[in-house]
Amino acid sequence: MRMLVRIDGYFHRVYITGAKCTKQELIQKYIQAKRLTSDIKDLPDVFCRLHSFEQLPFDKDEEVDFVIDTDTDRIYTPIYRTNGTR
């Protein structure tokens, strides 16, 4: 199974997809990618190369499994309302 993750930050808003994992595993993957990134703008590329994820075209209406906020280092599962609004 695959999962969809949105990486949000001041310099980027990127969708990535890869093998499904737990929130704790995603946190570890994020920490590893961040340690190897000298410029936060490169984080999505580094994350994808390290963990065999791929970037997708951005679609603001796409529902994701997790959001990685690179400004706060917070990883969370967004809550979607049943009527399609957020």
Side-chain angles (χ1 to χ4, degrees):
M1 289 198 73
R2 299 187 63 81
M3 62 189 244
L4 184 62
V5 178
R6 186 175 72 228
I7 300 178
D8 272 334
Y10 183 77
F11 293 106
H12 46 254
R13 188 168 215 184
V14 178
Y15 282 112
I16 61 173
T17 186
K20 197 162 193 74
C21 64
T22 66
K23 182 178 179 181
Q24 190 58 41
E25 291 168 330
L26 185 62
I27 289 168
Q28 293 305 311
K29 289 177 182 193
Y30 171 65
I31 290 169
Q32 183 182 21
K34 190 171 178 186
R35 279 191 196 132
L36 296 172
T37 304
S38 57
D39 186 340
I40 197 66
K41 292 179 200 173
D42 298 329
L43 181 88
D45 292 328
V46 172
F47 187 100
C48 287
R49 278 196 313 271
L50 274 176
H51 304 296
S52 300
F53 276 60
E54 63 181 277
Q55 290 191 38
L56 301 172
F58 181 76
D59 179 355
K60 67 180 177 123
D61 295 327
E62 191 73 38
E63 292 187 5
V64 299
D65 298 294
F66 293 103
V67 174
I68 299 173
D69 185 329
T70 60
D71 295 332
T72 63
D73 289 332
R74 186 171 167 236
I75 297 176
Y76 61 93
T77 302
I79 297 171
Y80 297 101
R81 297 181 191 185
T82 56
N83 65 3
T85 61
R86 296 186 175 105

